[in-house]
Amino acid sequence: MTTTTQIPIFPLLQPLFPGTRINLQIFEQRYLRMITECLKKQGTFGVVPILEGDEVGAVPQVHPWGVTAKIIDWNQLENGLLGIAIEGEQRFQLLSSNAKKDGLVVGQVQFCVEEKIVPLDHTSEDLQELLAVLAEEYYPDNSHWQAPQDSNALSWQLAQLLPVEPVLPISLLEVNDPLLRLNCIRDWLDNLSQFS
């Protein structure tokens, strides 16, 4: 682990992983302010998965691990709301948090050490093929998707796209080893095949 810092926190039902992208519609004042400040200062915010509660209204119970988000695109949607596209960057552990008057949560976070890049090899060919099939369904026009260049990216992209209980991919945010993450994913697939 590395030094700690304070960042705004955005709880989401859909987890964000390093190198993966999510499109969001922003309408609550607290998050409009957060996004505006991030765009002005080229800052970042943290996305943490919701364990109990909702994205709107009261502060929900969140997972203590998350990922910083970089805003890669934004526009005004036809419904008048702000649309943003974010990409996951660095994993962190949420050590503590408090809510501002407007409900925006600010967290004290500790960033994870940068992972060692593990190249892809023949042992993960089946998972690479599975990801290609999932990506074709999820990104039919091939927009915003690039085939993974290493085992790190492979594990995170599978975590995002596999149709499993959310608690499973969320648990991977705590795992520092990409090969261990891929082994966890294989276990999920084995369990799925037993019930299919």
Side-chain angles (χ1 to χ4, degrees):
M1 292 288 184
T2 56
T3 55
T4 65
T5 191
Q6 200 173 64
I7 58 173
I9 298 295
F10 195 155
L12 281 179
L13 291 169
Q14 179 184 3
L16 179 70
F17 301 105
T20 67
R21 295 183 179 187
I22 295 178
N23 295 321
L24 300 172
Q25 293 186 42
I26 309 298
F27 56 90
E28 287 192 83
Q29 285 302 314
R30 54 182 166 174
Y31 297 129
L32 286 168
R33 180 171 66 83
M34 179 190 76
I35 296 302
T36 301
E37 289 179 5
C38 285
L39 287 169
K40 281 181 182 175
K41 300 175 183 177
Q42 294 186 327
T44 188
F45 60 94
V47 172
V48 290
I50 292 174
L51 298 179
E52 285 184 27
D54 296 306
E55 293 175 344
V56 180
V59 176
Q61 180 187 342
V62 298
H63 190 65
W65 294 81
V67 174
T68 57
K70 175 176 69 174
I71 301 169
I72 55 175
D73 194 17
W74 65 275
N75 64 317
Q76 186 171 2
L77 302 174
E78 290 181 8
N79 58 12
L81 300 180
L82 174 65
I84 64 169
I86 59 173
E87 183 172 280
E89 293 191 303
Q90 193 172 2
R91 287 184 308 121
F92 62 80
Q93 184 176 10
L94 181 61
L95 302 176
S96 63
S97 64
N98 62 80
K100 301 289 186 184
K101 286 182 180 178
D102 64 357
L104 180 66
V105 175
V106 176
Q108 191 72 23
V109 303
Q110 190 170 44
F111 292 110
C112 300
V113 294
E114 197 167 328
E115 284 187 348
K116 179 182 174 184
I117 299 299
V118 178
L120 293 169
D121 61 27
H122 69 280
T123 62
S124 64
E125 284 177 359
D126 57 334
L127 294 179
Q128 294 175 58
E129 290 171 5
L130 172 61
L131 177 61
V133 171
L134 291 169
E136 195 170 314
E137 292 179 16
Y138 196 78
Y139 305 107
D141 58 356
N142 285 327
S143 65
H144 308 304
W145 186 75
Q146 292 181 334
Q149 302 300 306
D150 51 57
S151 296
N152 309 57
L154 176 62
S155 67
W156 293 128
Q157 289 187 27
L158 283 168
Q160 184 185 43
L161 298 184
L162 275 172
V164 294
E165 289 294 319
V167 67
L168 295 176
I170 288 172
S171 69
L172 294 185
L173 288 169
E174 303 174 44
V175 181
N176 293 318
D177 182 345
L179 296 182
L180 182 54
R181 288 196 298 268
L182 290 177
N183 284 338
C184 291
I185 289 169
R186 286 187 188 283
D187 289 342
W188 306 346
L189 294 171
D190 288 343
N191 289 334
L192 283 174
S193 64
Q194 290 176 14
F195 294 101
S196 59

